[in-house]
Amino acid sequence: MSEVAQPASLALAVSRPQTAPFDWRRAVPLLLAAPLLLYMLVFYALPVVAMLLRSVNDPSWTLSHYATLFDDVVFQKTFWITFNTSVTVTLGCLILGYPVAMGLVRAKAMAPFILVIILLPFWTSVLVRSYAWMVLLGRHGLVNEALLALGMIDRPIRILNTPLATQIAMIHILLPYMILPIANALRQIDPSLIRAASGLGSTPFMTFRQIILPLSMSGVAAGTLLTFVLALGFYITPAMVGGPRDITLSMLIAQQVDQLNWAYAATLSAVLLATALAILAVARKLPGVGNAFRTSMR
Amino acid sequence: MISAGTNGADIGRGASVTLSDLEKTYDRASAAPKDVDRVSLDIRSGEFLTMLGPSGSGKTTTLMMIAGFETPTAGDIAIDGKSVVAMPPYRRNIGMVFQNYALFPHLTVEENVGFPLKQRGVPKPERARLVAEALELVHLPGYGARYPRQLSGGQQQRVAVARAVVFKPRLLLMDEPLGALDKQLRENLQLEMRRLHADLGITFIYVTHDQEEALTMSDRIAVMNDGKVAQVGTPEDLYDRPENRFVAGFIGESNFLPAVVRGVENDVVIAECDGAVIRALCPGRPASGEKVTLTTRPERLRFADSAWIGEQMPQNCLSVTVTEAVFAGERCRYMLQAGDGTSIVLKEPSSAAIRRRAVGERAEIAWSVADTILV
Ligand SMILES: Nc1ncnc2c1ncn2[C@@H]1O[C@H](COP(=O)(O)OP(=O)(O)O)[C@@H](O)[C@H]1O
Ligand SMILES: [Mg+2]
C-alpha cells in the first residue's frame, strides 16, 4: 500500500520490483469509459467496418470497385461537385463568420445574446432548417418577394434547387463551426497587445492585419477544417434545396443504397472517409493547426 | 496659449506634458467616487516623473489617458502645449512599456522592436540599423532572431523598452515595468532605467507602487491616492516635508502625534502634545486651539540622554515608556508609549557604545524641530 501512495516521480526513481502489483487506480478511467466504448464498438465501429469491407469483398475479395472509379464519370463529377461545394461553403463561412467572431469577442453585455443567435442552428434539426430554406428561397418565398418589392427583379428568379441554395443553406448550418473556434482564438489574444500596437503607431486596420489576424490563424485553421470536413459529408440539405443534377457524394451513396448497390455505396463511403481523414492528417502537420485543434476542442 | 516650457528654443529632446483637472469615471451610472479625480500635473521636458500610489489609486488610468487608450471624462491633456485629447493613440507618438510587456508573441525580437518603425514606413535597411541600435542600448545585441517566449522576464522587459524607444519618441510611459521581476533584477534594471533616461534625455512618466523604486529613480514623484494627487515633489520634499497624513504614512514610516495648536511664530507652530510643548514646521497658519496631527520619522528621534545628539537645532522633547525593544542588526527599533497612550517608533543606529533600553524603562526622547511637520 505504501508504494502506491508515493508520488509518481519517486516511484519511478526506485527500481521497479519484478512483480509490481496491478495498479487498479490506473484502470479506473478505462473502466468508467467501458460502457460507452462497448456501445461504440458494437453499434458504430463494427457496422462501419462491415460496410467498408463490402467495398473489397463483394461478391469476393477484389479491388475492382475502386479500379472502376477511375473511369466512372458520374463519380468524378459528383466528387468534384462535393469538393467544390465544400470549398465555397467553407469560404462563405469564413468571410461571414470572422466578423461575427470579432463582434462576439468584443461585445460585453450583448455577448450571451449573440452567442444564443449563433448557436440557434445547433438546436434546430437540419431537416426543419432545410424546409425553412425551401420556404424562404422558393418562387414565392420571402427572398423573391423582397427582391420584387425592391424592384431589383421583375419576375421571380430560380434560387431553390440550384447550387446557390445548397451553399446558402449549408453556410447557415455550418457557421457556428467556423465562428466558435475563431472566437476562441480571438479571445485568447491579450488586449494589451492591441493597445501596444496602437501606441506604437499602428492604425486599427494595420493592427488587424499584423496582430489580430496572424494571432487568430490557429482558430481560422481549426474552423476551416471543421467546416470543410463536415461539408464534405452533407446529405439532407443538398438533397432538399439543391439542384436535381447537383448530386453530392453522400446523395450518390444514398441513391446506391436505395438500389441495393451495396458494394458501390461502400466504395464511395470509403473514398469520402479517406478524403476527410487525409485532409485532417495533412492539416495536423501544418504548423499551429494541430495545436489549434487541441485548444479549440477544449 | 503658450506656456513657459513650450516656446521656441528651449524645447528639449523630451516632451512637456500638462494635465489639467483630468478626470475619469469608468462607470458613470454608479455613485462610486471618480477613478481619476481632478489630476493636475506639469511635467517638464526631460523630467523623470513617477506616479506612486497604492493599487487602485488611478495611476494606470492616468497613464492610459495620456497614451490615448482611455478618454478623459473631463479635463485636458496637453503635450508640448497642444491638446491631444482628440488624437488617437497611434498618432500621439508616445513610447509605452506595459507591465506585462505586451510583446507580440508571433514576431521575433527584431520584428517586435522594428514594429513601430514599420508602421511609420521606415525602409528596411534603416529599420535594421535602428533596431540593432535599440537592442544595443538595452544590452541585448544578438537576440534579434529569438521569439519573446524564448527570453527571460528581464530580457523581455528590455525588448519592451527597446521597442518603446526605437522610434525616438519624446515621451516614454512605463506602467510598473519592473513589477513582475525579482528583487535583485529589479534593482539592476532601476539603475539601467536611470541611465537610459540620462542617455535619451526624453521625458519619462513612470508608474509604480514601490516607494523605494520611486525614491531612488525619480526627479519628482506625484503621490496618488483615491484618484487624486496627494502631493507632488522631489523625493526629499516628500520624505522630509509631507503635506498630508497620507503621504507621511505611505512614504517611509512616520509617527503621528495628536496635538493642540497654541500659537504660531515665524512658520513654526507651537503645539501642546501630551503636556509637552512641541514645535513643528507648517506652511499654513492653523488657528489657536485647533486639534492637529504632527508627524516625525522614527530614525530622526533620539533618546535625549544619548551623548552624540546635535545641539545646534532647537529640539522637541517628550517623556515616554519603552514597550518593546528589537535589535535588527544595523538598527535597534523601539516601540515607545507617551503619557497619553500614543505609540511612537524610534529607530537608533546600533552601536556597541550605545546603551540598549529595556522594556518598561522610562526615557526622554528628543528630535529636531526641522523634522517635525504638521500634517
Ligand atoms: N477598465 C476599467 N473598467 C472599470 N473600472 C476600472 C477599469 N480600470 C480601472 N478601473 C478602476 O479605476 C480605479 C483606478 O484603477 P487603476 O488606474 O488601475 O489604478 P492603479 O493603476 O493605481 O492600481 C480602480 O478603482 C479600478 O477599479
Ligand atoms: Mg495599475
Side-chain angles (χ1 to χ4, degrees):
Chain A
M1 199 58 223
S2 64
E3 300 120 46
V4 180
Q6 277 173 354
S9 55
L10 221 87
L12 279 178
V14 178
S15 66
R16 252 170 211 287
Q18 284 296 308
T19 53
F22 180 66
D23 187 352
W24 279 101
R25 285 192 226 178
R26 296 239 191 112
V28 166
L30 203 66
L31 285 176
L32 287 173
L36 180 65
L37 285 177
L38 196 66
Y39 178 91
M40 293 291 280
L41 187 71
V42 173
F43 295 105
Y44 181 73
L46 288 181
V48 166
V49 170
M51 172 74 183
L52 291 178
L53 275 179
R54 286 192 162 202
S55 68
V56 285
N57 74 349
D58 194 328
S60 60
W61 288 100
T62 172
L63 285 174
S64 63
H65 298 301
Y66 289 96
T68 53
L69 291 182
F70 286 103
D71 28 49
D72 179 342
V73 183
V74 175
F75 162 75
Q76 279 160 17
K77 183 162 181 252
T78 313
F79 189 86
W80 173 244
I81 290 173
T82 309
F83 196 83
N84 199 20
T85 309
S86 299
V87 169
T88 314
V89 166
T90 305
L91 280 179
C93 283
L94 183 59
I95 292 164
L96 293 175
Y98 199 103
V100 177
M102 284 192 79
L104 176 66
V105 171
R106 293 209 178 167
K108 294 198 173 95
M110 289 284 282
F113 181 69
I114 296 176
L115 197 63
V116 165
I117 293 183
I118 292 170
L119 289 177
L120 264 182
F122 272 149
W123 302 328
T124 329
S125 98
V126 177
L127 193 64
V128 170
R129 272 179 290 161
S130 298
Y131 274 124
W133 279 113
M134 288 171 79
V135 171
L136 286 174
L137 300 175
R139 276 193 89 72
H140 302 288
L142 220 57
V143 174
N144 263 319
E145 298 289 330
L147 290 175
L148 281 171
L150 289 171
M152 291 170 76
I153 51 176
D154 30 63
R155 50 199 177 81
I157 52 167
R158 183 188 169 95
I159 310 174
L160 193 62
N161 301 325
T162 65
L164 180 65
T166 306
Q167 287 157 11
I168 292 175
M170 280 177 70
I171 287 172
H172 171 235
I173 292 165
L174 288 172
L175 258 177
Y177 296 97
M178 183 65 88
I179 294 174
L180 295 182
I182 295 178
N184 190 52
L186 287 172
R187 206 171 284 122
Q188 283 169 14
I189 299 177
D190 178 356
S192 70
L193 295 184
I194 305 197
R195 289 191 156 182
S198 176
L200 294 168
S202 187
T203 62
F205 177 73
M206 283 149 76
T207 304
F208 175 76
R209 265 262 305 103
Q210 298 173 75
I211 309 297
I212 299 176
L213 195 57
L215 286 177
S216 65
M217 268 337 263
S218 60
V220 169
T224 301
L225 276 176
L226 204 56
T227 312
F228 186 80
V229 168
L230 287 172
L232 279 181
F234 255 55
Y235 170 61
I236 296 177
T237 310
M240 285 175 71
V241 304
R245 258 173 286 155
D246 303 314
I247 299 193
T248 64
L249 263 182
S250 355
M251 283 162 76
L252 188 59
I253 293 169
Q255 219 177 57
Q256 297 306 313
V257 171
D258 273 352
Q259 295 167 11
L260 301 181
N261 206 345
W262 286 98
Y264 190 39
T267 310
L268 295 176
S269 306
V271 170
L272 188 58
L273 185 63
T275 311
L277 290 179
I279 288 168
L280 286 178
V282 170
R284 289 193 77 129
K285 290 270 153 39
L286 298 177
V289 176
N291 201 25
F293 252 99
R294 259 160 270 138
T295 51
S296 67
M297 295 298 161
R298 231 178 255 151
Chain B
M1 189 200 82
I2 292 178
S3 66
T6 62
N7 43 13
D10 71 334
I11 289 192
R13 274 183 285 173
S16 66
V17 181
T18 311
L19 311 181
S20 332
D21 287 324
L22 199 59
E23 291 192 11
K24 177 72 184 180
T25 313
Y26 281 106
D27 183 5
R28 291 199 216 195
S30 88
K34 297 181 177 107
D35 298 301
V36 168
D37 193 357
R38 272 169 294 138
V39 166
S40 293
L41 278 175
D42 255 309
I43 301 156
R44 295 187 278 265
S45 166
E47 187 170 24
F48 193 131
L49 181 117
T50 298
M51 291 201 287
L52 170 69
S55 172
S57 57
K59 309 181 296 290
T60 297
T61 305
T62 307
L63 214 60
M64 291 298 156
M65 288 193 283
I66 299 173
F69 304 130
E70 297 287 353
T71 315
T73 316
D76 192 41
I77 301 164
I79 296 181
D80 287 329
K82 283 190 283 292
S83 173
V84 295
V85 171
M87 196 185 274
Y90 53 89
R91 295 241 314 270
R92 292 194 188 187
N93 221 30
I94 297 175
M96 169 125 197
V97 179
F98 290 80
Q99 177 162 13
N100 65 355
Y101 316 136
L103 297 179
F104 305 125
H106 61 302
L107 301 182
T108 61
V109 166
E110 215 160 47
E111 289 165 334
N112 262 284
V113 178
F115 185 87
L117 301 173
K118 192 173 169 195
Q119 313 311 303
R120 287 165 174 77
V122 176
K124 256 193 178 158
E126 171 83 351
R127 221 187 314 172
R129 191 179 62 75
L130 289 170
V131 167
E133 225 175 80
L135 286 177
E136 192 92 32
L137 186 72
V138 296
H139 301 316
L140 267 185
Y143 281 78
R146 298 215 193 170
Y147 282 91
R149 63 175 176 279
Q150 298 170 316
L151 301 179
S152 72
Q155 291 169 333
Q156 290 181 19
Q157 200 272 344
R158 289 159 195 257
V159 174
V161 171
R163 188 180 65 174
V165 300
V166 71
F167 59 102
K168 307 211 174 349
R170 290 161 44 75
L171 172 61
L172 181 62
L173 309 180
M174 287 184 273
D175 191 359
E176 313 215 10
L178 307 180
L181 305 175
D182 58 57
K183 193 168 156 53
Q184 181 66 44
L185 192 55
R186 211 160 60 216
E187 282 171 6
N188 289 341
L189 286 175
Q190 280 171 14
L191 293 179
E192 247 177 71
M193 294 286 186
R194 279 282 348 166
R195 177 187 60 82
L196 194 70
H197 177 251
D199 285 358
L200 296 174
I202 64 176
T203 310
F204 277 33
I205 304 181
Y206 188 97
V207 160
T208 179
H209 64 261
D210 180 339
Q211 47 146 321
E212 236 177 81
E213 196 167 295
L215 290 172
T216 36
M217 297 174 75
S218 325
D219 294 331
R220 280 196 308 160
I221 301 172
V223 183
M224 302 277 298
N225 183 32
D226 287 340
K228 299 187 193 63
V229 176
Q231 187 176 348
V232 192
T234 63
E236 290 84 358
D237 280 343
L238 296 178
Y239 196 82
D240 291 344
R241 290 172 292 282
E243 280 168 11
N244 49 57
R245 196 173 167 137
F246 176 79
V247 173
F250 189 71
I251 298 185
E253 200 177 357
S254 284
N255 290 306
F256 295 106
L257 312 173
V260 178
V261 176
R262 290 290 176 236
V264 181
E265 193 179 83
N266 319 320
D267 285 354
V268 172
V269 177
I270 302 161
E272 190 182 322
C273 173
D274 187 26
V277 171
I278 307 280
R279 285 159 208 273
L281 300 184
C282 172
R285 303 216 135 242
S288 209
E290 195 179 325
K291 283 203 166 78
V292 294
T293 303
L294 308 179
T295 173
T296 134
R297 302 283 181 189
E299 75 277 11
R300 300 191 178 173
L301 303 179
R302 299 286 172 247
F303 287 108
D305 54 5
S306 296
W308 45 271
I309 200 154
E311 305 296 336
Q312 65 276 43
M313 283 292 287
Q315 299 286 314
N316 288 317
C317 287
L318 203 63
S319 304
V320 294
T321 311
V322 178
T323 58
E324 211 182 297
V326 178
F327 174 72
E330 62 184 81
R331 283 174 183 282
C332 290
R333 186 189 160 90
Y334 293 99
M335 283 294 281
L336 313 169
Q337 195 168 44
D340 62 0
T342 310
S343 292
I344 298 170
V345 181
L346 180 151
K347 288 184 192 163
E348 185 177 59
S350 67
S351 156
I354 300 177
R355 182 175 71 82
R356 303 262 150 70
R357 316 282 154 162
V359 172
E361 195 175 318
R362 293 195 54 82
E364 282 279 307
I365 55 171
W367 69 97
S368 161
V369 170
D371 288 331
T372 319
I373 314 288
L374 189 150
V375 292

